Amino acid sequence: MGSAALALAGAIALPGTAEAANILTNPGLESGSLSPWSCTGNLGSVVSSPVHGGSKALAGAVSSSDIARCGQTVSVQPNTTYTLSGWVRGSYVYLGVDGGASTWTSSPTAYSRLSVSFTTGASQTSATVYVHGWYAQGTYYADDIALDGPGGGGGGSDTQAPSTPTGLTSTGKTSSSVSLSWGAATDNVGVTAYDVYSGSSRVLSVSGTSATVSGLSPSTGYTFSVRARDAAGNVSGASNAVSVTTNAGSGGTSFKQAAPYLYEGWGDPPSVSTVMSATGIKWFTMAFMLDGGGCNPMWDSTRPLTGGVDQTVINQVRSAGGDVVPSFGGWQGSKLGANCSSASALAAALQKVIDAYALKAIDMDIENTDEFENEAVQARILTALKTVKANNPGLRTIVTFGTSTTGPTYYGNRLIEQAKSIGADIDVFTIMPFDFGGGSDMYGNTVNATEGLKAKLKSTFGWDDATAYAHIGISGMNGLSDQQENTTPAIWTQIRDWANSHHIARLAYWAVNRDRSCPGGGVVSNCSGISQSTWQFTSITAGFTG
């Protein structure tokens, strides 16, 4: 089976009629028991983590011989269209209706929404909906499952809607969640659930009078309301609306970094003391941390993590009042992101480097088909970054990747979307505007690419311009690129000035090793291929303040 990206970004907007309601019982497992869900092989259970909404979710412990199919049968009306939806997490998770439509996704590290519609037969009065995983693919999770449409008589002759919930208020918020509470509704038979709406979209169903809506964007306004419903599918009017703006994210405008790449395994590495003294640069991006075998971090896969030339250089940088951000990955070599077997194993490898150097920031340079163009490896890297950021308060996380002249490519967009879905809280998304068809207008095309990245960040995270710029980095290539694009000192100065005026977070280039003159020298490791003064690009970069 191939990978499918079926996750939907938002909740489904429900029709505004009383008949359109979630007719499933215990849709979010908030009762704490499976009933009336029934799972094959007794492989279903109710768990408290990970959940999408509320405090409970369904877990299906798939085996090599059983897909842990969990289903519920409900009454429906003939010749009627219903929409089945739910939030799922795991490798190859399916949602569908017996004898009818189904859909699936593979989302092992974050909840994704599935949705499918079907129309009942001319005499059909019941339907069985189900969720299941796939053989030997590990435990899946499902939450907030909904079958929207008119009930089929399960509530008897009850046509009376519950009263409207009252007193909706926000009881707390973070950069990615809002907590809500409200007064209970009443019903002639009994209220079975409350549906929480963001605007016109239902985002959560709970059985009690409080809920936490998660997966939100920082510094973003949301308007919530709540409706009550009963077993017959009758739905109340909407509560009062409450508007809440989430807190700012942790990767705010305070993080600014001018950090050109320095490589100790190539290109006549210069004396960092000389470079720092001559240019005023304080940060370097140290390349490249790779896999030395067995998911074990080593510089260039061959030099030791500590005790070698790289540590000597780092000590010299710090002695001169500067600091470093190691870069993991790059274009080639044996990479930790691709080789570590899981996100937790990769996070452990990253933690070794963080601990070895008491790091303030790390850069994941995600390139080539083994990492950048592999969505599973993208997710592994982002999940590992989320883990180490949670375990190391104050650590800044940077992802660096290629671009087109108009903004992120398909895989760049996918990386950003996965960062949002996983909740990775990346501080800086850095593009590499070179070897990208920039031609003779490297300034204009760099700006266009960065504006394209800004637009993608805004649409994905709901940020305003200033917040999006504050999460952007530019990493260029001084002098001649592999495609013979020519970034001159004058052009790099223009790019730096644009970066300062738009208050982006990071400016870097490849590489200090090449920051030397050799006009006509071509694309080589120890000079730029153009006429320039020694360390001129580093001096320009040092003028980046954000």
Side-chain angles (χ1 to χ4, degrees):
M1 287 180 295
S3 175
L6 302 176
L8 301 181
I12 294 174
L14 294 179
T17 63
E19 290 79 11
N22 184 2
I23 62 175
L24 296 180
T25 302
N26 200 17
L29 288 300
E30 294 302 312
S31 70
S33 68
L34 280 173
S35 179
W37 296 96
S38 177
C39 302
T40 59
N42 293 318
L43 295 175
S45 63
V46 178
V47 296
S48 58
S49 179
V51 301
H52 170 258
S55 60
K56 300 290 189 294
L58 168 68
V62 169
S63 70
S64 59
S65 59
D66 196 316
I67 57 177
R69 184 183 186 274
C70 296
Q72 179 179 151
T73 301
V74 295
S75 297
V76 295
Q77 294 184 9
N79 291 321
T80 304
T81 298
Y82 291 82
T83 298
L84 175 65
S85 62
W87 291 87
V88 300
R89 173 174 172 167
S91 297
Y92 304 111
V93 188
Y94 294 73
L95 183 72
V97 58
D98 270 0
S102 67
T103 186
W104 66 280
T105 189
S106 183
S107 182
T109 59
Y111 274 98
S112 293
R113 189 177 176 88
L114 292 178
S115 177
V116 64
S117 295
F118 64 94
T119 301
T120 53
S123 59
Q124 185 176 352
T125 58
S126 68
T128 299
V129 300
Y130 63 80
V131 60
H132 67 74
W134 197 248
Y135 300 103
Q137 294 299 312
T139 299
Y140 71 85
Y141 303 92
D143 202 358
D144 299 320
I145 303 173
L147 181 60
D148 291 319
S157 59
D158 179 21
T159 59
Q160 181 175 332
S163 66
T164 300
T166 58
L168 176 64
T169 186
S170 171
T171 58
K173 62 179 181 174
T174 69
S175 62
S176 60
S177 67
V178 171
S179 295
L180 303 166
S181 67
W182 56 89
T186 59
D187 185 67
N188 63 314
V189 176
V191 174
T192 59
Y194 294 91
D195 296 327
V196 180
Y197 288 78
S198 175
S200 62
S201 297
R202 189 185 65 225
V203 293
L204 199 60
S205 295
V206 297
S207 58
T209 57
S210 63
T212 297
V213 182
S214 58
L216 306 178
S217 298
S219 304
T220 302
Y222 296 88
T223 299
F224 299 100
S225 61
V226 176
R227 295 175 183 263
R229 58 181 157 83
D230 60 21
N234 300 306
V235 181
S236 76
S239 71
N240 61 293
V242 60
S243 296
V244 185
T245 299
T246 51
N247 295 337
S250 61
T253 57
S254 62
F255 181 58
K256 305 296 179 183
Q257 186 181 79
Y261 281 80
L262 178 65
Y263 193 11
E264 290 303 310
W266 165 96
D268 298 335
S271 161
V272 290
S273 299
T274 298
V275 175
M276 293 176 76
S277 176
T279 65
I281 199 72
K282 293 297 185 183
W283 280 82
F284 293 93
T285 303
M286 295 286 290
F288 281 108
M289 188 63 68
L290 297 174
D291 182 17
C295 191
N296 183 44
M298 296 181 70
W299 296 102
D300 254 3
S301 294
T302 57
R303 300 190 304 279
L305 174 59
T306 59
V309 62
D310 300 271
Q311 180 168 18
T312 298
V313 169
I314 291 171
N315 292 344
Q316 291 171 349
V317 171
R318 288 177 168 173
S319 295
D323 213 337
V324 301
V325 50
S327 183
F328 295 74
W331 178 255
Q332 60 189 3
S334 183
K335 303 172 191 176
L336 290 161
N339 292 352
C340 294
S341 60
S342 65
S344 58
L346 176 58
L350 300 181
Q351 191 64 51
K352 288 181 182 178
V353 185
I354 294 167
D355 291 343
Y357 291 106
L359 296 175
K360 299 181 180 71
I362 58 174
D363 169 49
M364 299 298 294
D365 193 341
I366 307 173
E367 300 188 53
N368 218 325
T369 56
D370 54 346
E371 290 191 332
F372 187 53
E373 296 178 17
N374 185 319
E375 293 182 22
V377 174
Q378 281 192 7
R380 183 185 305 158
I381 291 171
L382 292 167
T383 304
L385 288 174
K386 178 180 179 179
T387 299
V388 297
K389 188 163 187 177
N391 293 337
N392 300 272
L395 180 74
R396 302 293 189 168
T397 53
I398 303 160
V399 291
T400 299
F401 52 98
T403 184
S404 75
T405 56
T406 57
T409 63
Y410 168 83
Y411 288 106
N413 286 327
R414 188 73 182 108
L415 180 72
I416 293 165
E417 291 159 5
Q418 290 210 85
K420 171 66 164 62
S421 176
I422 290 168
D425 195 19
I426 299 300
D427 289 291
V428 186
F429 295 86
T430 299
I431 53 170
M432 296 184 288
F434 60 88
D435 290 343
F436 71 144
S440 61
D441 187 11
M442 289 298 286
Y443 169 72
N445 282 316
T446 296
V447 169
N448 289 340
T450 310
E451 290 289 358
L453 173 60
K454 180 203 72 173
K456 181 61 179 178
L457 294 179
K458 288 180 63 178
S459 65
T460 301
F461 293 98
W463 293 334
D464 58 18
D465 281 2
T467 305
Y469 283 129
H471 287 79
I472 284 177
I474 295 173
S475 183
M477 184 169 180
N478 63 312
L480 293 181
S481 74
D482 303 289
Q483 292 184 0
Q484 299 297 302
E485 301 153 327
N486 187 3
T487 300
T488 65
I491 290 173
W492 189 239
T493 300
Q494 284 183 291
I495 292 171
R496 181 206 62 192
D497 292 346
W498 184 92
N500 277 335
S501 66
H502 289 78
H503 309 298
I504 73 169
R506 173 174 158 88
L507 187 66
Y509 76 89
W510 180 260
V512 178
N513 306 62
R514 302 179 69 245
D515 196 10
R516 294 175 274 216
S517 181
C518 60
V523 183
V524 292
S525 63
N526 61 356
C527 58
S528 64
I530 64 172
S531 178
Q532 61 158 96
S533 60
T534 303
W535 320 134
Q536 188 171 4
F537 284 88
T538 305
S539 296
I540 296 166
T541 305
F544 171 73
T545 60

